[in-house]
């Protein structure tokens, strides 16, 4: 890194899937000089922990549009470059109580209006699509034929590679930089060098909230822990539609080598991204083993091969925080994905880059930081489970 400040049009902090996709799209939109800096390395945060599900639920139509748009872009990247492991394997959503059943019926109705082939299905279809499952206690089961999966770490590195090839200056590994406001914009100082820019984007995942508070520009972001594990069933699983339970967000997907990846299925707990344990808690693995006995008895004897955790950022209303920060000229944010950032990052990055160039942010309306009045911006919201429901009940 050079020791004198180098001047750039945009500096993006954070090389998770959001920052990498954004750097790529900024160059595609013709932004001249873009630096992408990560304190650790690309994909060091939640993007390296995600199980890579792209789900049309529980979103409102605006958010569903983002998932569709992102899926389209991920498919193109996978087809053109052979990167990201995008594939459509469908989804099965099971509601086991009255409240979840009402919610799921509403989601089926909304999806049906959009004509994506989603429908309620009975026991014969479930037995064919998910022979290891016992959904006899489910009140409503929905089949989402076009639901997709990817490898989020591979997709993050694909964006980093595309961004580098397009001339983005990608740096990492000097720790969290010092960020200061200057008369000519923003200065970002890391060990060994300094960048100056008029436009600084914070795409630091769960670290974004604390960084904004340090800068005196708080936004309502909290950090929570999400865990995952990889299981080896016997016999190994053939590909199957991703299984979801809306109540506690249990998600089970098929993975290469006949393995299963699991996330959700337990309450989201607050976490500090600076000190979070990257291993899954034993209690979480025990909970998952118990759930398998009941809902997926065909895989009840699966062996746990690995467990991990990541830290995500929550907002009060379930929508992310994307765009210019009111009262802080040249400061932008792209964070607060409530545990579902992979499925929306591609679309958010494309819309952010075109809004940045055009100077009009209408395409990102529901995500703009200005939706929160100043008094609310310093509040710390509840973790995902509550905010997640906010967007899904619209
Ligand atoms: C177990 C688990 C399962 C998940 N499953 C799914 C799923 O199926 N589908 C889905 O859509 N989402 C899922 N998610 C959520 C998803 O992973 C996140 O929403 C998404 O990865 C967020 O991406 P990001 O780029 O915003 O943040 P991150 O990936 O967290 O990246 C932030 C980056 O910023 C860097 N950084 C931090 N501070 C600084 C600083 N001061 N300066 C520079 N760099 C900094 C970090 O090193 C990190 O690389 C899951 C998450 C977990 C933990």
């Amino acid at each position: 890194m050079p020791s004198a400040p180098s001047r750039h049009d945009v500096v993006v902090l954070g090389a998770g899937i959001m920052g990498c996709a954004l750097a790529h799209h900024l160059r595609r939109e013709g932004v001249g000089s873009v630096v992408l800096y990560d304190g650790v390395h690309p994909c060091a945060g939640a993007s390296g922990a995600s199980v890579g599900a792209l789900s049309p639920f529980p979103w409102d139509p605006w958010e569903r549009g983002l998932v569709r748009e992102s899926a389209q872009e991920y498919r193109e990247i996978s087809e053109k470059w052979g990167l990201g492991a995008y594939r459509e394997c469908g989804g099965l959503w099971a509601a086991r109580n009255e409240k979840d059943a009402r919610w799921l019926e509403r989601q089926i109705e909304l999806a049906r209006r959009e004509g994506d082939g989603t429908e309620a299905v009975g026991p014969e279809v479930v037995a064919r699509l998910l022979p290891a499952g016992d959904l006899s206690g489910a009140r409503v089961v929905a089949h989402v034929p076009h639901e997709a999966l990817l490898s989020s770490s591979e997709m993050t590195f694909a964006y980093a590679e595309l961004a580098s090839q397009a001339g983005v200056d990608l740096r990492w590994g000097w720790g969290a930089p010092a960020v200061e406001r200057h008369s000519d914009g923003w200065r970002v100082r890391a060990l060994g060098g300094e960048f100056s820019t008029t436009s600084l984007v914070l795409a630091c995942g769960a670290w974004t909230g604390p960084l904004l508070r340090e800068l005196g520009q708080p936004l309502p972001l909290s950090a929570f822990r999400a865990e995952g594990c990889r299981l080896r069933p016997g016999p190994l699983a053939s590909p199957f539609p991703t299984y979801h339970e809306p109540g506690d967000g249990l998600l089970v997907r098929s993975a290469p080598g006949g393995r299963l990846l699991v996330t959700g299925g337990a309450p989201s707990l607050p976490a500090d991204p600076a000190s979070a344990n990257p291993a899954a808690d034993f209690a979480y693995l025990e909970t998952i083993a118990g759930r398998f006995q009941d809902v997926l008895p065909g895989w009840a004897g699966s062996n746990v091969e690995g467990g991990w955790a990541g830290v995500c950022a929550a907002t009060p209303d379930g929508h992310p925080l994307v765009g210019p920060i009111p009262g802080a000229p040249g400061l932008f944010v792209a964070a607060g994905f409530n545990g579902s950032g992979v499925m929306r990052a591609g679309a958010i990055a494309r819309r952010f880059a075109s809004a940045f160039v055009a100077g009009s942010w209408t395409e990102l309306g529901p995500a703009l930081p200005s939706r929160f009045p100043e008094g609310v911006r310093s509040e710390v919201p509840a973790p995902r489970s509550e905010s997640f429901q906010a967007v899904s009940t619209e």
Side-chain angles (χ1 to χ4, degrees), residues 12-24 36 203:
V12 180
L13 291 186
I17 193 163
M18 185 63 243
C20 292
L22 180 58
H24 162 65
L36 172 59

Side-chain angles (χ1 to χ4, degrees), residues 282-361:
F282 186 67
Y284 176 72
L285 300 177
E286 272 191 329
T287 304
I288 292 303
R291 291 293 291 279
F292 266 62
Q293 308 280 351
D294 300 336
V295 301
L296 299 162
W299 290 321
S302 300
N303 290 311
V304 177
E305 289 189 322
W308 63 90
V311 185
C312 300
T315 61
D317 59 3
H319 291 300
L321 275 161
V322 184
I325 298 179
L331 188 61
F332 302 81
V333 65
F337 295 108
N338 296 278
S340 302
V342 169
M343 62 183 82
R344 294 177 284 163
I348 296 264
R350 189 198 64 72
R351 293 186 190 195
F352 186 119
S354 71
F356 179 82
V357 170
S360 161
W361 294 85

Side-chain angles (χ1 to χ4, degrees), residues 18-53:
M18 185 63 243
C20 292
L22 180 58
H24 162 65
H25 276 285
L26 286 167
R27 286 290 299 144
R28 270 180 84 159
E29 286 290 331
V31 175
S33 164
V34 179
V35 169
L36 172 59
Y37 177 81
D38 196 288
V40 184
H41 58 71
C43 211
S47 303
S50 164
V51 300

Side-chain angles (χ1 to χ4, degrees), residues 220-280:
L221 284 164
S222 64
F224 68 91
R225 183 172 165 81
E227 298 181 274
C229 61
R230 190 181 63 249
L231 303 178
R232 175 166 46 82
L236 297 176
S238 303
F240 61 91
T242 301
Y243 176 72
H244 304 260
E245 293 200 6
D248 59 8
L250 177 71
L251 182 162
V252 184
R253 60 157 281 189
S254 67
R259 280 14 181 214
L260 314 173
L261 297 185
V262 185
T263 190
S268 306
L269 299 172
D272 176 0
S275 59
N277 181 357

